[in-house]
Amino acid sequence: MTTAIIGIGSMGGALARGFLASGMEPSTLILCNRTPSKLEPFKASGAVLTTDCHEAAQAADIILLGVGHDDIEGMVEEIASIDLTGKIIVSLGAGTGTDTIHEIIRIEGGTQPAVAVAIPNTAAAVCRSTTFIAYDNFDPVPEVEQLFERVGSVTTVFESELPVYTALASCGIAFAMRYIRAATVAGVELGVRASEAQRIVASTVAGAAALLSQDGVHAEAEIDKVTTAGGITIRGLNAMETAGFTGSVIAAHKACRK
């Protein structure tokens, strides 16, 4: 099947890099952006490049809408003029639901395709995305599942649940980066070069994530293993809680949910 990504910004670009890194046949990937400079990094990839969204949508079986949240509805209006029979439209923005997309196409007089909303994160660029997909009828579409499995894990959810999963995974990757950045800055203050501190912190976070990937492992139990009575780790943890660490993380996710 041929896949088109319309909008090669942060998310669209990450998916493009991940698809290509996963071994996808480049000729089956169409990358579309109205600003030619956004396509420059992919010139040597073998992917089909275009600035014409109609051309991209017409040639694709699966159409991924990677434009900004405020532009998705306008883009749906534009591509509704082509024959969408048998095609699958996937919005990469949780702000525009499947009902809205269907309604726009109906108003524009277009044929109704299958519609889904997918929320990956930018780790798709290195094939480590955590992606959540909601379908207009909840029945998973194998072609869409297989496409996103190329760049990480995939979970099918109800559309009403997407805001929560967006906070945990899509926004959550920025929260994880903020912790890594903060710990890196602490390392610099303690006398470690910035590049070395970031390498150490990122490796430590990756190790913690790997531990939690084991069945039956709980984060608090792993914390207990390295927290001894009167030790240095408990002093650090208590300092974090005094500064409101857990509360601020919870507040951040709830803010995203709203």
Side-chain angles (χ1 to χ4, degrees):
M1 299 187 79
T2 300
T3 300
I5 305 176
I6 299 178
I8 310 300
S10 296
M11 194 65 254
L15 284 169
R17 291 180 178 87
F19 290 151
L20 292 166
S22 75
M24 176 185 282
E25 173 55 49
S27 63
T28 66
L29 181 62
I30 303 168
L31 306 181
C32 176
N33 205 92
R34 287 185 172 134
T35 305
S37 60
K38 293 283 190 178
L39 301 173
E40 283 290 326
F42 301 97
K43 267 195 167 182
S45 69
V48 179
L49 309 181
T50 180
T51 58
D52 187 331
C53 64
H54 289 91
E55 178 182 292
Q58 188 70 67
D61 300 300
I62 301 176
I63 304 166
L64 306 183
L65 302 180
V67 297
H69 297 315
D70 295 337
D71 300 321
I72 289 178
E73 293 185 23
M75 182 56 65
V76 174
E77 289 178 10
E78 286 196 43
I79 65 173
S81 61
I82 70 171
D83 183 4
L84 296 171
T85 305
K87 296 183 184 293
I88 305 165
I89 295 180
V90 182
S91 169
L92 300 179
T96 304
T98 58
D99 286 346
T100 300
I101 293 173
H102 276 303
E103 184 60 26
I104 292 170
I105 294 171
R106 189 175 297 111
I107 291 172
E108 296 298 319
T111 52
Q112 290 296 329
V115 175
V117 177
I119 306 298
N121 60 36
T122 51
V126 291
C127 300
R128 294 295 299 272
S129 175
T130 301
T131 302
F132 296 92
I133 305 176
Y135 297 92
D136 47 6
N137 58 4
F138 194 71
D139 291 330
V141 177
E143 294 84 356
V144 174
E145 303 280 306
Q146 292 160 15
L147 178 65
F148 283 95
E149 282 171 354
R150 284 181 167 275
V151 292
S153 66
V154 175
T155 304
T156 299
V157 299
F158 289 106
E159 199 164 350
S160 61
E161 298 173 320
L162 279 177
V164 173
Y165 292 114
T166 298
L168 287 173
S170 184
C171 303
I173 198 165
F175 302 158
M177 293 289 185
R178 178 57 58 88
Y179 166 77
I180 290 172
R181 178 58 185 160
T184 297
V185 171
V188 172
E189 185 172 340
L190 293 171
V192 182
R193 285 180 292 107
S195 59
E196 180 69 358
Q198 178 172 293
R199 183 192 67 78
I200 292 169
V201 175
S203 178
T204 300
V205 170
L211 283 171
L212 293 180
S213 69
Q214 302 173 96
D215 290 339
V217 175
H218 190 280
E220 205 61 39
E222 292 302 311
I223 290 172
D224 288 343
K225 289 179 182 178
V226 296
T227 307
T228 56
I232 58 174
T233 302
I234 190 60
R235 295 180 190 178
L237 289 169
N238 286 343
M240 291 170 73
E241 291 309 312
T242 298
F245 179 79
T246 297
S248 67
V249 171
I250 293 170
H253 284 83
K254 291 172 72 175
C256 293
R257 172 65 180 84
K258 291 179 182 178

